Structure formats: C-alpha cells, structure tokens
Amino acid sequence: MPLISKDLFKKPNNALEGGVDAQPPAAEERTVTCSECKAVLPLDVFKAQAHVCPRCGALHAMSARERILWLVDADSFQEMDAALLPQDRLGFPAYAGKLRKVQQESGEPEGVVTGTGMLDGMPCALFSMNPEFIMGSMGAVVGEKITRLFEYAAAQRLPVIGYIVSGGARIQEGMFSLMQMAKTSGAVLRHSQAGQLYIAVLTHPTTGGVVASFAMEADIILAEPKALIGFAGPRVIEQTMRQKLPEGFQRAEFIMEKGFVDRIVPRDAQRRELSQLLRAHRKEGLA
Amino acid sequence: MTAAYERVQAARQKGRPTSMYYIQHIFTDFLEMHGDRRYADDAAVVGGIAMLGGMPVTVVGIEKGVDTDEKVRRNFGSAHPEGYRKALRLMLQAEKFGRPVVCLIDTSGAFCGIGAEERGQGLAIAENLMAMMGLSVPIISLVIGEGGSGGALALGVADRVWMLENAVYSVISPEGAASIVWKDAGKAAEASEALRLTATDLYGFGMVERVFPEADGDFAALCDTLRTAFTQEFEALRTLPVQAMVEQRYQKFRKIGGDAL
C-alpha cells in the first residue's frame, strides 16, 4: 500500500485545501513545494514530517489512508467495509461521472476509511475522511461506514478516534445525504451510552452537516492549528451579512476561544496526545 | 418551471399558514415558553405546552412570521443556536413529564451569520439530533412549508415524520444547489427536480410516513385532520414500551441510505 497517492502532487482545487505544487517527476529525488512559503522540500522529508512544512509550519492535506497509517502502530490497521460503493440514488446530473473521476484520482472508493488498529498497543476503532473525495462530503456510504464503525465499537467496547475533514453533506445524494446526520448521531449516542470514548480531530476544513452532527458530538474534540471549523462556510456568511469576516474568524484558535474545542494539537503532538487520552480512559485493571 | 419547483414556490408562498396558525388551530390552551436559559429567546422558534384534546403535549415550531415586522423580528424563520437550544430545553422538559412532542418545521435553513457561528450553530443542531434520537417520549415532526437542511433536521429526528402536500424538504436550497453544482443560481428549477425534495419523493424513499393533502387550501379543515392524526398516532406510540419505541426510531433512520448497499 503506497503511503502517498499520486494526488498529493495535484494542485489544490481552492485555497481552503492547501496543498503542494507538483514538480517534474524524477523518480530518484522527488520534491514538493510548500504552497505557503514556496520552500522546495524533498518528498521523504515532507512525508516524515506528516506533511508539515519544516520551514513555515504550514499543515498540508493528508489523505484519509495516510492519516490512519501515520497514526497507528505499524501493520495494525484492519480496514472495515472497504467494498461499500457509492450509488447515484437520485440519478443526479453528472454525479455518476464525477464519482468515477474522483475514484480514479484518489484511488479510494469513497470519502471515508474505517477500521480498527492499535495505538501504542491499545486497540481502537478509527475513521478518517478524505479531503480529496468531493471535498470530504458525506453521502450515504460515508454515513453508513461511520455508523457501522460506531456500532461495532459499541459492541466490542472500543474507543473511536475520528479524523474529520468535510465540506458537509453531499448535494448529489439529496436527502439521503442529510439523513446521514441523524443516523450517525444515533450511532454516536449508542456508543456513548455504552460508556465508550469518542475523540474527534477536526482538520481543515470541517464545515456544514458534519459539524452539525458527529464532529461536535465527541467526548473530546481536538483541532489542528488554523483549521477552518464552522457550520456555514465563510463565503455564505459574507453573502448573508454583506460584510467581510474578520481575520481568523472560524479558525481553530477562534473556535477554541469561543469554547467549542478542547485543545489545538499540532500534528507532531497528535500521536502522543491521543495515546495519552486512550491510556487515561483504559478500563482494564481498575478495581 | 418544473413540477418540483412549483412545490418549492408553494411552500414559500406569501400567505401560507405558518407554525402559529397550526398551533392555534390544532391545539388548545397553548402557553408559550420563552428562552433557552443559556443566552436568549430566539423568536424564530416558538415553543410551549398545549392540549391535544385531553392530552398535554409540548409543541415546538419554527415560525417565519406573518407580516413584515413580525418576519423581521422572527428572522424569517432562520433560527440561531439559542432557538435550537430552546427547542431542546422544552423537549427535555417534555421527557421529564412524559409529554409527547410535536415539532413543526418551516425554515429556509439555520441562520448563517457571525453570531450564529460564535455561539455554536453546528453544536446546537448536533445536540438536538443526538438528544431526539434518545428521547423517551414520542415525537412527531410535521414539515408544513420549507424543510431547509440541517436547520430543519434539528427538529426532525422523530418517530413519525409527516409532510403537507406542498411542503418540501431538502439537503440544500435549490438556489444553493444550482450555484454550487452548475455555478448558476438561476437553475433553481432544474435543481429542485434533481434534488427530489417533494413530499411524494420523500414518501417514496421511506423518509416520510404520511403526506397530508392540503384540502384545496382549506387549512382549517386540514387542522381538523391533523388533530385526529396526531391524537391517534400518539395513542398508538404510547402503547409501545419506551425502549422499543426508541429502538424503532433509531432503526428507521439507520436504514436510510444503507438498505441498498
């Protein structure tokens, strides 16, 4: 399994996604260019730093699978429901073609990867959303896979760690998409009622129907620095309010100041902090 | 013009009855309760205690307002987080006292603004979804006009979801979908068709259990029908053990989008 898909070299679709600019492909010394400070970095350095620019500290997007493989103990990840494929239930114009294209480009069948793994030897259930898959939008398969994961984790008494990135509901699946908000919320509730821990890590950007459901329903909500987090996107708010938004509005730091996330955790500290949190919630060995 | 867009326009029609009309014509002795006890009283959401025949119920509705002044005061039925938190407070109170809950949905969507974001619009909706999924009293939600996305769903996690004939319920407004998918908000009519947002569509998908004809605009007669329907359905739901009712509610949403995979 390649750690990095070829899409890493794709130019970002918009400013929100961040990203790295492609360099001419030279197999031996491949490089990437930081879109923020324009530093040219050897690919292996960039990968070793979890896609963080060593010069300016900018966090670049990671695919769903890269996140999980970077986080969990080597060879411990076991994927679930990998065969669930999206359906064009509404016959929405151009959706079937769009799905095929994004599947080819991302090498993933859908916008979320789920499964189980170990973190410092502690078992957990994981889901990780894919920013490249129609902006991490939630269609029926994304909702179904997340729901199945929480149900499995409730039954197996496992904590859930979720890496979240999403533009919200997937328009092309209409109400099938909206209803995933209710469905996933029900599954999170049942996992919670089973006494199990759910940690969400909000990454850039986390917006729309995902913020209004499982992103905000975790016991512990962590965020990456500068991640955009909000129900409405900034452009929609600017149109509604007819005014420019202040610098930093809806960024993770602002959202924490307003009281909606527990901690902002830089990428290089995430593994340690998640491990610490799992350890603090372990039940075995307690009287 | 498309058939679906005609429904959208009917749902938004000036003069179409809003939540307060249904509250006054279906129930008696409505006592409005204000505020979320956290921040403010959001006039876009009305709620309180009323009698459905001999049965005390909690009613929560999104209210667009009738005349211009009232529409402005009610923010045209676009709720802030405090509106959803008021709804949640009243639903939890209903649970404590064993009262069934009626939710009336009529909104173009949750408000998108600076204050709404600063006070956690996403969290407010998410908390309602989770709490309604586990509420131990019966809930019936009725979409009377516009069911605008997450702001509508925040009152829509119910044992029964019903719609009026000309109501619509959509993941996004047709204008929003057209501008995102086709970069042209003028294609709202085509988007309405593509989104499958009519009551008939959603009944066909199994997301809505009943669709009420609008009696050729005789809304008073419609309210008589609705009073009977609410009464009978709550009586039926109350025969179920609480655990079975909550389980059925979860399973109803659980199968949406997953049954064909």
Side-chain angles (χ1 to χ4, degrees):
Chain A
M1 187 60 61
L3 270 175
I4 281 189
S5 77
K6 61 182 169 27
D7 274 35
L8 181 64
F9 304 100
K10 203 179 61 170
K11 267 182 102 77
N13 292 324
N14 62 42
L16 283 184
E17 289 181 7
V20 286
D21 296 335
Q23 294 296 308
E28 292 78 31
E29 46 174 281
R30 290 186 299 181
T31 60
V32 293
T33 303
C34 174
S35 57
E36 294 295 310
C37 73
K38 308 297 173 200
V40 177
L41 312 163
L43 181 60
D44 54 350
V45 170
F46 184 71
K47 277 164 62 172
Q49 303 255 359
H51 300 209
V52 178
C53 176
R55 196 168 93 178
C56 74
L59 278 71
H60 295 293
M62 291 174 86
S63 76
R65 202 169 291 277
E66 283 164 348
R67 287 270 187 194
I68 288 183
L69 295 179
W70 164 75
L71 180 69
V72 300
D73 299 348
D75 302 322
S76 73
F77 183 61
Q78 291 190 299
E79 189 170 0
M80 292 163 60
D81 299 313
L84 289 190
L85 296 172
Q87 295 180 350
D88 182 15
R89 294 282 289 266
L90 306 185
F92 199 95
Y95 182 43
K98 191 182 182 75
L99 278 174
R100 272 196 301 277
K101 183 162 173 279
V102 74
Q103 283 169 338
Q104 257 168 18
E105 286 175 357
S106 66
E108 294 287 352
E110 249 294 357
V112 69
V113 175
T114 60
T116 56
M118 306 282 258
L119 182 51
D120 286 341
M122 292 174 283
C124 58
L126 302 129
F127 72 91
S128 177
M129 302 179 78
N130 203 332
E132 293 169 340
F133 206 98
I134 317 184
M135 279 301 287
S137 57
M138 173 161 61
V141 168
V142 171
E144 178 72 16
K145 285 175 81 166
I146 290 172
T147 299
R148 288 189 190 183
L149 184 78
F150 275 95
E151 288 179 340
Y152 178 82
Q156 300 296 318
R157 311 195 68 75
L158 287 173
V160 173
I161 295 173
Y163 267 89
I164 298 175
V165 52
S166 183
R170 189 174 297 168
I171 293 170
Q172 294 89 343
E173 294 191 20
M175 286 292 284
F176 286 97
S177 171
L178 188 76
M179 290 297 165
Q180 303 310 309
M181 293 168 61
K183 178 166 134 182
T184 52
S185 296
V188 173
L189 174 68
R190 288 169 163 234
H191 180 257
S192 180
Q193 286 171 337
Q196 300 306 306
L197 171 70
Y198 166 30
I199 305 171
V201 187
L202 312 188
T203 75
H204 181 73
T206 297
T207 61
V210 166
V211 163
S213 58
F214 58 84
M216 280 289 155
E217 292 167 347
D219 299 295
I220 293 168
I221 303 178
L222 308 178
E224 288 200 326
K226 293 185 184 160
L228 183 87
I229 300 161
F231 175 65
R235 256 183 316 157
V236 177
I237 300 172
E238 285 184 344
Q239 281 166 11
T240 312
M241 309 293 276
R242 295 199 176 85
Q243 66 182 85
K244 283 298 269 184
L245 292 170
E247 183 71 22
F249 185 73
Q250 293 183 309
R251 295 289 161 177
E253 295 73 14
F254 171 92
I255 298 297
M256 186 167 80
E257 185 188 308
K258 292 296 169 192
F260 298 107
V261 303
D262 290 288
R263 290 178 65 76
I264 293 172
V265 188
R267 217 168 261 173
D268 63 3
Q270 285 170 14
R271 195 175 197 284
R272 177 170 47 77
E273 291 205 9
L274 287 168
S275 170
Q276 196 177 332
L277 287 167
L278 289 189
R279 196 168 301 112
H281 289 82
R282 266 210 298 206
K283 289 183 173 134
E284 313 86 273
L286 294 183
Chain B
M1 184 55 64
T2 61
Y5 198 50
E6 281 174 24
R7 300 284 185 187
V8 171
Q9 290 179 324
R12 294 171 176 171
Q13 182 74 43
K14 194 165 178 270
R16 184 178 174 85
T18 57
S19 283
M20 279 310 293
Y21 177 90
Y22 294 95
I23 291 174
Q24 281 154 3
H25 288 77
I26 295 172
F27 309 99
T28 57
D29 307 293
F30 177 63
L31 282 180
E32 186 173 358
M33 305 291 163
H34 292 276
D36 68 345
R37 300 213 188 138
R38 295 281 186 277
Y39 177 78
D41 182 40
D42 186 348
V45 175
V46 293
I49 300 167
M51 296 301 288
L52 174 64
M55 187 191 302
V57 294
T58 287
V59 189
V60 181
I62 307 178
E63 173 58 53
K64 288 181 169 179
V66 177
D67 59 36
T68 305
D69 284 353
E70 193 196 356
K71 283 178 179 167
V72 170
R73 184 168 68 82
R74 297 196 184 279
N75 200 28
F76 301 87
S78 278
H80 281 76
E82 47 272 24
Y84 295 114
R85 291 185 178 126
K86 170 164 67 178
L88 180 57
R89 176 174 82 83
L90 296 176
M91 286 191 273
L92 292 174
Q93 187 184 74
E95 180 175 55
K96 173 176 175 182
F97 296 106
R99 284 192 293 270
V101 174
V102 173
C103 292
L104 301 171
I105 295 170
D106 189 15
T107 181
S108 60
F111 192 62
C112 296
I114 291 173
E117 294 294 319
E118 288 178 336
R119 300 196 289 279
Q121 188 71 287
L123 176 72
I125 294 171
E127 286 182 329
N128 280 22
L129 304 184
M130 225 167 147
M132 292 179 82
M133 200 53 101
L135 207 75
S136 66
V137 291
I139 312 170
I140 301 177
S141 294
L142 173 68
V143 189
I144 58 170
E146 282 187 279
S149 196
L153 186 65
L155 295 184
V157 181
D159 300 292
R160 302 288 180 264
V161 180
W162 294 345
M163 288 178 78
L164 301 188
E165 180 185 4
N166 285 318
V168 294
Y169 196 174
S170 181
V171 67
I172 186 172
S173 72
E175 292 77 11
S179 76
I180 292 173
V181 178
W182 292 293
K183 314 287 176 213
D184 179 2
K187 293 198 170 163
E190 291 93 318
S192 303
E193 206 66 44
L195 286 165
R196 306 288 298 275
L197 46 63
T198 68
T200 316
D201 287 327
L202 302 183
Y203 179 81
F205 294 147
M207 297 176 195
V208 163
E209 288 85 18
R210 280 187 76 170
V211 178
F212 290 85
E214 292 183 11
D216 293 323
D218 184 350
F219 285 96
L222 174 60
C223 285
D224 290 338
T225 307
L226 288 168
R227 187 183 315 109
T228 307
F230 280 131
T231 307
Q232 288 174 350
E233 201 66 36
F234 281 135
E235 279 167 3
L237 285 166
R238 282 185 142 180
T239 64
L240 290 173
V242 169
Q243 265 192 318
M245 180 184 71
V246 173
E247 177 67 19
Q248 284 178 18
R249 187 187 305 151
Y250 176 68
Q251 292 302 336
K252 180 169 80 106
F253 288 92
R254 174 70 188 82
K255 72 178 197 301
I256 297 176
D259 48 354
L261 295 173

